[in-house]
Amino acid sequence: MATEVEAWTVASQQDGVFNAGDVEEPYNDEDDELNETEENGNWTPQEKALHEARLKAKAKRRLRRTSSRDSTRESLSEAGGELEGDPTSPRGKLSANDRKSRMGKGRGLPKKGGAGGKGVWGAAGMVYEMEEPDAKDPNYDESAQGETVYATVEPELDEGELEKTVNPIVQEYFEHGDTKEVQMLLEELNLGHKKFEVSSLAVSLSLEGKASHRELTSRLLSDLVGKVLSEADMARAFDKMLKDLPDLILDTPEAPQMLGQFIARAIADHALPMGFLDHYKGKVDCDHARAALDRAAVLLSMKREMVRLDNVWGVGGGQRPVKHLIKEMNLLLKEYLVSGEVSEAEHCLRDLEVPHFHHELVYEAVVMVLESKGETAVRMMVKLLKVFWETGLITLDQMNRGFERVYQELPEISLDVPLAHNIMETFLDLCYQEGVITKQLRDTCPTRGRKRFVSEGDGGQIKH
């Protein structure tokens, strides 16, 4: 056993590393007794088990020390360095400031690649980039980041919201006719990529309206191009309407012809490209779309060409000559006396769009009654005026003004119609009974004075 201890000691010194823990503990008297007992072959089972346990413990200690020396030797060979320090120092340390593991584990390299430790800002040669300030950082200072700009962001309107927003704007435009106000309202909206639908919505509403509405719509489209809409947006809108014509004719049977007039007017106003119609030649399968395009082509190929297309919707109510309006109202009343259709007369009067001139209709109706023969015209005119009064088509002011004009001209009318006063009184009584006129208006009607014959020599002349 002593020989083994000396061999292990010499082996440790030859390795170049000496550790005090490598020296085996010296034998004591108890070990000598065990050896003598072993030689005599007189071991008890307890002594034999104790001896084997000691041998196993020694073998484990030798194996642990050997593996520790091997790992240290490998780490030094990888680093290309040589052993430094005192090999006889306790625990075999290489340097007092060495950061290598003391447990004999790992590759023996410095922790964190040499970038760790107290007072260390990182590895040598490391360059740190400028970091953006984080708003969630507790040390974040908002005032030090410069001026803060706040802006209101309007979300883009979807199809449903666009229709609900634009329809009231267009309907209100039909009342005031100010295109600049419409432009200002549209600029406040975030129309996005659906702004072309503004044109299609305006045209669809005007198709269900009157001729004056369509005229206003054509002016609106012309004024919006270059400001809110582009020619490409306008072309896209009319292309959509041409595809929707099968649905539009369900509410407006004349939609193909009207849409063709809109296209011709837009081209004349430079709201649509001049070659808009050329893109559809030989490419249209829908009969309604073909009719609309043919209508536009005919209007653009007229002798006067595009110069007169500003009147494609006719002349609006207040812009018509007075003589023309009077003629239209006379024709309206005569057709009513023949057909007796009150609804048709009401529709024609509304189409004239001259509510400030309705007193002329009252005047012409009363004069027709005075010049007519029989009671049929009287009853029909009373019925017509009653309907106009109840529906609010003719206001109280217009009704009174029409009758007062007849009162002023009644003496001249009596020259052609001697019984004008009597017929007028009968007509006023019926109108008052039906609630068409007031009692004050009826009482202000001029009456003919008392008639008497002076003498036979007067020749039967009537004296007042």
Side-chain angles (χ1 to χ4, degrees), residues 27 55 75 106 120 147 168 245 265-266 334 338 340 349 405 454:
Y27 284 14
L55 294 178
S75 62
V120 179
E147 297 184 0
L245 269 178
R265 175 67 179 272
K334 290 178 181 179
V338 175
L349 182 60
R405 287 180 57 193
V454 177

Side-chain angles (χ1 to χ4, degrees), residues 302-318:
M302 295 171 60
K303 291 183 179 180
R304 296 184 179 181
E305 296 181 349
M306 298 181 292
V307 179
R308 296 284 87 192
L309 284 179
D310 54 349
N311 292 329
V312 68
W313 303 113
V315 181

Side-chain angles (χ1 to χ4, degrees), residues 355 358-359 362 385 388-404 435-442:
H358 285 174
H359 61 85
V362 178
L385 293 178
F388 288 170
W389 168 257
E390 291 178 347
T391 57
L393 188 57
I394 297 181
T395 62
L396 176 62
D397 177 69
Q398 295 293 318
M399 188 72 72
N400 292 342
R401 189 174 176 183
F403 275 96
E404 289 172 357
V436 177
I437 61 174
T438 62
K439 183 176 182 299
Q440 181 180 1
L441 181 61
R442 185 194 66 174

Side-chain angles (χ1 to χ4, degrees), residues 104-119:
K105 298 180 181 179
R107 297 181 300 166
L109 298 178
K111 294 180 180 180
K112 301 182 180 179
K118 184 177 180 180

Side-chain angles (χ1 to χ4, degrees), residues 83-103:
L83 294 176
E84 296 180 0
D86 186 5
T88 61
S89 63
R91 301 185 181 181
K93 288 187 178 179
L94 298 179
S95 175
N97 297 325
D98 188 15
R99 294 180 182 176
K100 289 183 289 187
S101 175
R102 300 176 182 179
M103 300 301 294

Side-chain angles (χ1 to χ4, degrees), residues 9-69:
T9 304
V10 174
S12 300
Q13 293 177 354
Q14 291 176 353
D15 290 339
V17 179
F18 184 84
N19 193 337
D22 294 342
V23 181
E24 299 293 340
E25 297 179 358
Y27 284 14
N28 51 24
D29 297 338
E30 187 175 346
D31 293 335
D32 294 338
E33 294 178 358
L34 289 174
N35 291 334
E36 293 177 358
T37 307
E38 180 183 1
E39 293 176 358
N40 297 330
N42 296 326
W43 275 9
T44 62
Q46 293 81 2
E47 292 175 347
K48 187 176 182 180
L50 178 61
H51 181 67
E52 292 178 356
R54 287 180 179 177
L55 294 178
K56 291 180 180 180
K58 290 180 181 180
K60 289 182 180 180
R61 285 196 296 272
R62 292 168 186 160
L63 180 61
R64 188 181 300 117
R65 285 193 294 271
T66 304
S67 62
S68 177
R69 286 194 299 271

